[in-house]
């Protein structure tokens, strides 16, 4: 009897020992796991993980969540943050504006403005076009079924897209400006503007959904023709095409003014068109420009605009201008002709008769391509 009790007590003791050891092992494993987790979390935070998480959240909130992350990463980098800072030109009348920055200043900054085209202030400045005469380089259309333009100002690339909202009697304007090194590097300009056009068109598509704008959209942008600058190897006057093609009819008169080459805007549904007439060294002599939609309206409010009349020529400034009535959202178009002043050489002498001829030829071609009529000339 005593033996059985003793043996029973011995068996109970032998069973509790493994259980205790197992419990200690489990506690040790849990402790190690917690330590690893806490260490990993601390390392993640110490290495900037929390900042990256915050940056992603800020990008998702910027401009009310309409910015295209993938396209922005292709344009800039995969380490971005969004802010509520607006481009300095974007004042009253814009629905929203914001800025996307690459972390620690790498790979530049991209700024956005979104608004109804008849209400936004200073859209020309947002497109990098403060003056309507000078050497800014020629604008180019985005193409691919989109109504929009690309311009270059210094080391910045600019893009704009205009959407006609059915049933709202309004048009939605989206602008994007990217300060990035590749816009000043010849080897990457084409790629940079292609990426910028993708950002602008994708943002416009998301903005249309956000602000209930039922608008026809263009196709996916795979490549674009980047805005060109003055150069010696541009097409001759006889080979003029695009926005300069009408100048071939005035070859004799222009040759007397030493015009030999052209820099133009390719054909397309562009909101801004340019035609530069250059000498043999690639210096601009004359510049003709067309402005449609919000840019034509804004042109009248610039300090450089000589007169609010629909057409005229100003002897002192040597500017000539005209206007035309256009279909749908193009509204009243404005056309300008000016003599370009170069710092290192004398400007062409004033010739009101020639400027009228240049403007008349340019306006007829551009207005017809944009469905405009009722043109008023100086």
């Amino acid at each position: 009897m005593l033996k059985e009790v003793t043996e029973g007590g011995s068996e109970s003791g032998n069973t509790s020992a493994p259980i205790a050891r197992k419990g200690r092992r489990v506690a040790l494993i849990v402790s190690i796991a917690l330590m690893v987790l806490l260490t990993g979390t601390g390392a993640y935070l110490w290495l900037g993980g929390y900042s990256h998480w915050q940056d992603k959240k800020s990008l998702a909130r910027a401009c009310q969540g309409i910015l295209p992350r993938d396209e922005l990463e292709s344009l800039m980098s995969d380490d971005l943050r969004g802010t509520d800072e607006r481009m300095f030109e974007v004042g009253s009348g814009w629905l929203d504006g914001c800025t996307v920055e690459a972390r620690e200043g790498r790979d530049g900054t991209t700024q956005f403005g979104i608004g109804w085209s008849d209400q936004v202030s200073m859209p020309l400045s947002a497109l990098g076009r403060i003056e309507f005469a000078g050497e800014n380089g020629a604008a180019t259309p985005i193409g691919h079924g989109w109504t929009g333009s690309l311009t270059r100002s210094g080391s910045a690339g600019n893009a704009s897209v205009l959407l006609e909202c059915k049933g709202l009697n309004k048009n939605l304007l989206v602008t994007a400006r990217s300060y990035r090194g590749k816009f000043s590097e010849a080897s990457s300009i084409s790629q940079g503007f292609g990426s910028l056009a993708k950002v602008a068109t994708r943002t416009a598509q998301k903005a249309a959904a956000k602000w209930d704008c039922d608008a026809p959209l263009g196709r996916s942008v795979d490549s674009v023709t980047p805005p060109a600058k003055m150069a010696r190897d541009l097409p001759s006057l006889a080979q003029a095409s695009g926005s300069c093609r009408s100048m071939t009819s005035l070859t004799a008169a222009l040759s007397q003014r030493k015009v030999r080459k052209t820099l133009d805007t390719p054909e397309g549904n562009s909101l801004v068109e340019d035609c530069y007439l250059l000498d043999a060294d690639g210096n601009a002599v004359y510049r003709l420009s067309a402005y449609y939609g919000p840019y034509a309206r804004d042109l009248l409010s610039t300090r450089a605009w000589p007169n609010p009349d629909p057409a005229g020529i100003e002897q002192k400034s040597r500017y000539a201008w005209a206007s035309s009535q256009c279909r749908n959202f193009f509204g009243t178009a404005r056309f300008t002709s000016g003599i370009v002043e170069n710092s290192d050489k004398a400007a062409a002498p004033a010739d009101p008769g020639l400027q009228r001829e240049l403007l008349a030829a340019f306006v007829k071609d551009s207005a017809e391509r944009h469905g405009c009529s009722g043109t008023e000339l100086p």
Side-chain angles (χ1 to χ4, degrees):
M1 190 68 148
L2 181 60
K3 181 178 179 181
E4 290 178 358
V5 173
T6 304
E7 287 178 352
S10 176
E11 288 176 1
S12 175
N14 291 339
T15 302
S16 61
I19 293 174
R21 286 194 298 272
K22 184 177 180 181
R24 287 194 296 271
R25 283 198 301 271
V26 170
L28 180 61
I29 291 171
V30 170
S31 298
I32 292 173
L34 286 172
M35 186 179 297
V36 170
L37 178 62
L38 291 172
T39 302
T41 302
Y44 173 79
L45 295 175
W46 183 73
L47 292 173
Y50 180 74
S51 296
H52 286 282
W53 176 71
Q54 286 287 78
D55 289 346
K56 288 183 178 181
K57 285 185 63 178
S58 68
L59 182 60
R61 290 193 302 263
C63 280
Q64 302 188 44
I66 67 168
L67 300 184
R69 178 187 296 274
D70 292 345
E71 287 79 1
L72 276 168
E73 289 179 349
S74 177
L75 173 66
M76 301 173 68
S77 74
D78 59 359
D79 198 3
L80 305 173
R81 63 183 177 188
T83 74
D84 293 331
E85 182 181 348
R86 302 187 177 197
M87 61 177 74
F88 74 92
E89 298 93 342
V90 175
S92 61
W94 293 79
L95 293 168
D96 206 351
C98 60
T99 295
V100 175
E101 301 172 342
R103 189 174 176 82
E104 297 178 358
R106 297 193 304 268
D107 300 315
T109 298
T110 302
Q111 299 174 316
F112 295 87
I114 306 102
W116 302 117
S117 65
D118 61 339
Q119 299 174 13
V120 297
S121 62
M122 302 177 70
L124 271 175
S125 293
L127 192 61
R129 302 294 289 264
I130 298 176
E131 300 290 341
F132 67 87
E135 292 192 38
N136 300 107
T140 59
I142 290 177
H144 305 278
W146 295 95
T147 298
S149 301
L150 298 168
T151 66
R152 178 164 46 183
S153 51
S155 61
N158 311 287
S160 68
V161 177
L162 188 64
L163 301 177
E164 183 180 17
C165 307
K166 298 177 182 178
L168 290 183
N169 196 29
K170 288 183 177 181
N171 307 306
L172 192 62
L173 178 66
V174 174
T175 67
R177 173 183 298 165
S178 188
Y179 297 92
R180 191 166 184 239
K182 66 169 52 179
F183 290 112
S184 59
E185 298 171 6
S187 61
S188 55
I189 284 175
S190 181
Q191 177 189 352
F193 275 100
S195 297
L196 179 61
K198 290 179 183 179
V199 168
T201 53
R202 181 64 177 142
T203 301
Q205 182 179 0
K206 298 183 75 172
K210 176 72 176 179
W211 280 283
D212 298 321
C213 171
D214 181 15
L217 304 175
R219 302 178 299 278
S220 176
V221 177
D222 49 8
S223 63
V224 298
T225 300
K229 283 191 171 184
M230 315 300 161
R232 295 177 62 92
D233 57 349
L234 290 167
S236 68
L237 181 60
Q239 298 173 316
S241 61
S243 58
C244 286
R245 64 184 181 181
S246 61
M247 297 296 105
T248 56
S249 63
L250 298 167
T251 301
L254 287 170
S255 296
Q256 294 179 12
R257 296 299 184 194
K258 300 183 178 180
V259 172
R260 300 290 185 269
K261 301 177 182 294
T262 63
L263 174 64
D264 65 13
T265 297
E267 289 187 34
N269 230 18
S270 184
L271 295 163
V272 177
E273 290 189 342
D274 298 302
C275 171
Y276 284 93
L277 303 175
L278 319 173
D279 63 19
D281 294 324
N283 299 306
V285 181
Y286 295 100
R287 171 182 163 185
L288 300 110
S289 297
Y291 300 87
Y292 294 92
Y295 301 111
R297 176 181 59 82
D298 191 35
L299 189 65
L300 290 176
S301 65
T302 63
R303 288 179 296 177
W305 187 252
N307 195 299
D309 292 343
I313 187 163
E314 221 261 345
Q315 300 294 338
K316 183 178 180 180
S317 63
R318 297 184 291 187
Y319 296 147
W321 65 95
S323 62
S324 187
Q325 302 305 312
C326 309
R327 59 179 172 81
N328 55 47
F329 50 63
F330 287 135
T332 300
R334 307 285 175 178
F335 308 91
T336 66
S337 171
I339 297 174
V340 179
E341 295 185 2
N342 296 287
S343 58
D344 57 346
K345 63 183 302 181
D351 187 340
L354 177 59
Q355 281 196 261
R356 286 190 178 94
E357 290 186 81
L358 295 175
L359 193 58
F362 176 75
V363 170
K364 184 177 184 297
D365 179 61
S366 183
E368 286 181 357
R369 285 187 287 103
H370 286 80
C372 309
S373 58
T375 298
E376 294 194 49
L377 295 167

